[in-house]
Amino acid sequence: MIIESESPSNIALVKYWGKHGLQLPLNPSVSFTLEKAKSITKVEWVDSETFGFNFSFEGGAKPSFEPKLQKFFERISELAPELEHAHLKIDSSNTFPHSSGIASSASAFSALAIAIAEGLRVKRGEQDIDITLASKMARLGSGSACRSVFPKLGFWGEHKDVKGSSNHFAIDVSAYMHPVFQTYRDTILLVDEGVKSVSSTAGHALMEKHVFRKNRIDQAFDNAQQMMNILSKGELNDFVDLVEREALTLHALMMSAQQPYLLMRPGTVAIIEEVRAFRRDTETPVCFTLDAGANVHLLYPENVEQKVNTWVNEVLSAYCNKRYLCDQVGNGPRWKSSV
Ligand code: DP6
């Protein structure tokens, strides 16, 4: 059987930061699913006596990815017992440059989990793919990946005010989205294309004994609920405030950890200042967010795209060596299989 899948990356509005047990989040998170920054994965699934896999990235061997994949397959073995008798030949590629500093684990594990869920569908003779199962498996590869299996807006983490939410998988909350957010734009300014000095996984671990741990968890529960409210009502000013607060809190948590570290670069800070000045001077509802790195995501509505593009070209591109990607909220993953 051959399965082809593609899945986009996502950008969190309320950040997942800290985990426990087997990839369970300390707090709920919500993200826009992107459109263009995606991973494309092909899996050849062959029946075999014992489980095995080969992995190649953009056509070449990638031994450095293998331990992470090995761990992923161990973790999903209970959810996908059929894999005990499968050999998988996996080839993956990204639409964005590998060295761009974009977290590729979300799109990569989402695409792979979807391919496996599709394989399981075929093996089990089922009509529809079990997308919740795909999300569960994706989470076991990389937490944020579980939100990428859904179009537009994914919510992960149990929250009493969000029906159906769970720590084990993300849910599709795009039905609650005001139209203005459904075509939201994301320009990703590549401030630093190197490997991050501290990985997300190490950053999550530092939340365990963080002096602000409890306050952060309480705040994130609150922010997740507020964000859902803002997203459904289409309140752009509140969106700007909350998204930027979340981004700065994430980095403040890194800077105030027991082993403090700093992922923002001078360009990151300069862009943040420019965004605030531009918003004040032009009343354009553009805001910034950051993932666990130096790059800046600019989020803004479709109707100001032209204006933002001109400003990015004329002003912001100087801070990122003219390296940026234009993305937007997207329709989620795709997959197909042939036997
Ligand atoms: C800051 O999902 O990359 O982007 O579960 O260890 O693979 P692992 O971490 P990862 O962490 C993402 C952190 C974040 C916030 C977010 O996407 O919610």
Side-chain angles (χ1 to χ4, degrees):
M1 163 169 52
I2 295 190
I3 310 152
E4 287 168 278
S5 63
E6 41 178 84
S7 181
S9 188
N10 65 71
I11 179 67
L13 307 171
V14 173
K15 311 288 183 180
Y16 145 55
W17 202 236
K19 54 182 165 179
H20 63 100
L22 204 52
Q23 295 277 98
L24 298 169
L26 288 186
N27 64 268
S29 57
V30 54
S31 58
F32 281 152
T33 301
L34 299 178
E35 176 69 17
K36 294 182 193 154
K38 59 187 175 188
S39 296
I40 300 167
T41 298
K42 184 174 164 193
V43 176
E44 283 181 53
W45 177 317
V46 181
D47 292 338
S48 148
E49 260 182 33
T50 52
F51 173 71
F53 71 90
N54 298 108
F55 177 76
S56 63
F57 182 72
E58 293 176 355
K62 200 81 185 161
S64 60
F65 285 12
E66 274 167 26
K68 213 166 179 196
L69 281 167
Q70 187 68 48
K71 196 151 130 198
F72 167 71
F73 284 118
E74 280 160 23
R75 285 176 174 175
I76 67 165
S77 60
E78 265 180 47
L79 296 171
E82 290 87 338
L83 288 179
E84 248 179 75
H85 299 291
H87 186 277
L88 308 180
K89 188 167 169 279
I90 307 161
D91 186 50
S92 193
S93 59
N94 294 335
T95 56
F96 46 93
H98 183 52
S99 63
S100 64
I102 297 216
S104 55
S105 61
S107 54
F109 278 109
S110 170
L112 181 57
I114 284 167
I116 293 167
E118 170 62 7
L120 294 173
R121 179 193 73 75
V122 173
K123 289 281 172 196
R124 294 173 185 177
E126 289 166 355
Q127 183 87 19
D128 298 316
I129 192 169
D130 184 343
I131 204 73
T132 298
L133 174 62
S135 181
K136 265 186 205 167
M137 293 192 290
R139 183 198 102 235
L140 292 167
S142 177
S144 55
C146 73
R147 298 184 308 241
S148 266
V149 308
F150 296 110
K152 293 183 180 160
L153 193 66
F155 189 101
W156 174 36
E158 196 178 326
H159 193 299
K160 65 175 178 31
D161 298 328
V162 180
K163 206 170 144 239
S165 59
S166 167
N167 286 337
H168 295 265
F169 50 85
I171 56 170
D172 177 354
V173 285
S174 58
Y176 301 104
M177 249 173 145
H178 185 279
V180 72
F181 290 117
Q182 299 195 13
T183 57
Y184 235 60
R185 299 312 201 228
D186 179 3
T187 301
I188 311 166
L189 304 163
L190 306 176
V191 174
D192 188 348
E193 305 196 30
V195 177
K196 288 183 283 190
S197 56
V198 180
S199 70
S200 290
T201 303
H204 288 297
L206 285 168
M207 284 308 288
E208 239 162 78
K209 296 201 172 110
H210 203 293
V211 64
F212 299 141
R213 179 189 152 107
K214 183 176 181 309
N215 285 28
R216 166 56 191 163
I217 296 173
D218 292 348
Q219 177 203 43
F221 271 85
D222 232 48
N223 286 353
Q225 192 269 332
Q226 275 186 47
M227 184 59 79
M228 290 306 293
N229 214 359
I230 291 167
L231 289 166
S232 67
K233 296 202 173 119
E235 288 165 347
L236 296 190
N237 291 336
D238 293 344
F239 181 78
V240 163
D241 280 356
L242 189 52
V243 165
E244 293 192 352
R245 239 175 333 115
E246 269 291 314
L248 294 178
T249 299
L250 171 70
H251 283 254
L253 288 166
M254 297 171 191
M255 291 182 229
S256 53
Q258 265 192 327
Q259 284 94 37
Y261 64 106
L262 195 96
L263 295 182
M264 287 192 206
R265 307 301 307 144
T268 316
V269 178
I271 292 168
I272 291 173
E273 303 284 4
E274 292 283 2
V275 171
R276 293 189 154 171
F278 181 73
R279 195 166 61 227
R280 192 183 55 232
D281 297 346
T282 66
E283 291 181 8
T284 312
V286 56
C287 62
F288 66 83
T289 188
L290 310 165
D291 55 17
N295 298 333
V296 183
H297 290 246
L298 296 178
L299 301 179
Y300 52 93
E302 186 185 7
N303 68 347
V304 295
E305 186 169 31
Q306 197 68 48
K307 198 163 147 191
V308 171
N309 273 342
T310 307
W311 167 61
V312 167
N313 263 317
E314 290 176 358
V315 180
L316 299 187
S317 64
Y319 301 109
C320 56
N321 240 333
K322 297 199 167 74
R323 301 262 299 149
Y324 57 90
L325 308 170
C326 299
D327 212 331
Q328 65 185 80
V329 169
N331 290 320
R334 284 200 292 245
W335 60 89
K336 63 176 186 212
S337 59
S338 55
V339 186

